[in-house]
Amino acid sequence: MDIYTGAILVSLAVYIAVGNYAGSRVKQLDDYFVAGRRAPTLLIVGTLVASLLSTNAFLGETGFVYAGQAGPYLLWPPIGAMGYVYGALFFGRYLRRSRAITVADYFGKRFNSRRVQAVAGVTIIVGLGGYLLAVTQGAAVLLSELTPLNYLQSLFVAWISYTAFTMYSGSKGVVLTDTLMFLLFTVATIAALVYMIGDQGGWTAAFTELARVEEKPDLMTWHGIIGPGTPFETAFDYLAWGIIMAVAWSFVYAISPWQSGRYLIARSEHVVLRAACFAAIALVTLEMTLYAAGATVNLSKTDIEPYEQTMIWAAKNLVPAYLGALLLAGIMAAALSSASTFLSLVGFSVSNDIVRHDGMDDQRMLRLSRWTML
């Protein structure tokens, strides 16, 4: 077993242990669905950012940056992150005030309609269920690249890893493990970038050289590499796409169930607003760090294929083994944190918003929710 596999396996064991510890402290339905509504700012920030950044960011978007869109990707993060602030102001604090246990439950109460609640629940199940499949596949691809396991074996390991603590502990376990994962991939990503930049002679030297990469001459321009044979024919095409995507993601941060739903577990409305501001800062910092790291890889190798493997290659070749192991464990954590959040929200919606449970006491409802999630 190499150091990369070992780091991932140790991290998985820690998440399962923490999740099961949290599960042992679940005594009533509020503990399971909304973590007792006692989560402080750090836990809200951790679960917001961890559930958002998955393999899509660490592998897909970073690969896109490496392939030729470094300049524009370093410009757009603040536009999207604004969604956290206006989302908390105009939706999140009212969501917390409602004392609902799911986002769909909030809409059912708001319109006094079980049908509205059920339709909202179906929306969550379909939308986040599809995303859950995608991030599970991402985790399986990563595991199959780094361990002797084949894809199907990796798929099973990824599934059982996040399911083991999510179904037992619910929101209590998810918010704790999300925060641990957030701290892990934040520290690992920043440390990796600092090391890579230092290896290139410092920030000024690195960014000067990035602007001179012969194989990718427009890498650091505001529009990136464009023209015939690329996804964007003109600079305007890229500008329109970039703005639309940034604005669309800002709405995701503001009102999507897997982001706004985290406010249901907050200790107070003050925590909602404070956590939203800190989450915006943390997200911009992390995304710009990640994209800068992806761009910097070009100074060592410009022809990684497929480009989604950029950060995996960097972890194995550009930083010390221990730091590379932490970075890969962090990428795995990003996948698992999103998966655990999506699974919990889908399970909660099925058991609370779709299945009729009139007259069911808390303990029976708790058992139903766990089996439904499984």
Side-chain angles (χ1 to χ4, degrees):
M1 180 188 300
D2 61 26
I3 188 173
Y4 307 112
T5 304
I8 289 175
L9 292 180
V10 168
S11 66
L12 292 180
V14 170
Y15 306 145
I16 292 172
V18 170
N20 279 278
Y21 166 75
S24 68
R25 299 173 67 84
V26 171
K27 305 301 181 185
Q28 54 190 6
L29 207 58
D30 260 15
D31 293 333
Y32 192 72
F33 276 82
V34 288
R37 303 188 200 276
R38 293 189 295 272
T41 302
L42 175 61
L43 294 185
I44 301 297
V45 173
T47 192
L48 282 172
V49 180
S51 61
L52 181 76
L53 293 179
S54 64
T55 48
N56 177 56
F58 279 85
L59 301 181
E61 290 181 2
T62 305
F64 196 51
V65 167
Y66 165 83
Q69 306 301 132
Y73 262 67
L74 290 169
L75 295 175
W76 299 127
I79 297 177
M82 289 170 60
Y84 278 127
V85 179
Y86 69 73
L89 280 171
F90 299 114
F91 183 53
R93 62 195 181 104
Y94 299 107
L95 196 60
R96 170 64 179 76
R97 192 179 300 176
S98 74
R99 300 190 69 81
I101 58 176
T102 67
V103 174
D105 183 35
Y106 164 80
F107 284 107
K109 294 177 184 295
R110 172 67 179 79
F111 296 100
N112 192 29
S113 170
R114 176 72 189 181
R115 290 183 180 180
V116 170
Q117 181 176 345
V119 170
V122 169
T123 304
I124 291 170
I125 292 164
V126 174
L128 296 189
Y131 210 159
L132 172 61
L133 293 177
V135 295
T136 304
Q137 287 181 296
V141 168
L142 181 62
L143 276 176
S144 63
E145 288 287 334
L146 301 176
T147 70
L149 300 176
N150 62 35
Y151 176 74
L152 286 178
Q153 292 168 333
S154 299
L155 199 62
F156 176 79
V157 170
W159 168 74
I160 199 66
S161 297
Y162 65 77
T163 303
F165 62 82
T166 305
M167 67 165 287
Y168 180 52
S169 62
S171 285
K172 253 188 185 305
V174 169
V175 71
L176 283 174
T177 53
D178 273 1
T179 303
L180 287 176
M181 296 172 185
F182 162 71
L183 294 173
L184 172 61
F185 64 62
T186 297
V187 171
T189 303
I190 293 174
L193 175 62
V194 169
Y195 185 91
M196 290 163 59
I197 290 293
D199 206 38
Q200 296 295 333
W203 296 93
T204 302
F207 278 87
T208 300
E209 289 304 311
L210 282 172
R212 298 173 178 171
V213 175
E214 293 183 3
E215 294 85 350
K216 301 174 183 178
D218 290 329
L219 178 70
M220 298 300 290
T221 59
W222 67 269
H223 52 69
I225 297 175
I226 57 174
T230 71
F232 307 100
E233 291 286 326
T234 67
F236 178 79
D237 291 337
Y238 185 84
L239 179 64
W241 180 86
I243 291 175
I244 290 169
M245 289 296 291
V247 171
W249 274 104
S250 77
F251 286 123
V252 171
Y253 306 154
I255 59 174
S256 66
W258 96 84
Q259 293 288 282
S260 63
R262 303 291 85 188
Y263 300 134
L264 291 169
I265 68 177
R267 182 180 293 163
S268 65
E269 289 182 38
H270 186 202
V271 168
V272 168
L273 297 173
R274 186 166 52 196
C277 294
F278 284 132
I281 295 169
L283 180 66
V284 171
T285 302
L286 260 172
E287 286 189 329
M288 295 186 72
T289 300
L290 193 57
Y291 300 153
T296 304
V297 175
N298 280 291
L299 299 180
S300 301
K301 188 175 176 65
T302 59
D303 58 350
I304 298 173
E305 289 289 344
Y307 56 71
E308 291 86 354
Q309 301 283 332
T310 299
M311 291 307 293
I312 297 175
W313 186 88
K316 289 184 171 182
N317 295 278
L318 298 184
V319 297
Y322 73 89
L323 184 52
L326 283 178
L327 181 58
L328 292 175
I331 297 174
M332 186 67 186
L336 294 179
S337 60
S338 297
S340 64
T341 297
F342 298 156
L343 174 61
S344 65
L345 294 179
V346 169
F348 294 161
S349 277
V350 172
S351 61
N352 184 72
D353 304 321
I354 305 299
V355 176
R356 301 288 298 192
H357 48 81
D358 299 336
M360 192 177 294
D361 62 33
D362 273 14
Q363 292 306 310
R364 288 183 62 195
M365 183 63 181
L366 189 56
R367 287 195 295 272
L368 169 66
S369 298
R370 282 172 169 157
W371 280 110
T372 301
M373 198 173 296
L374 178 62

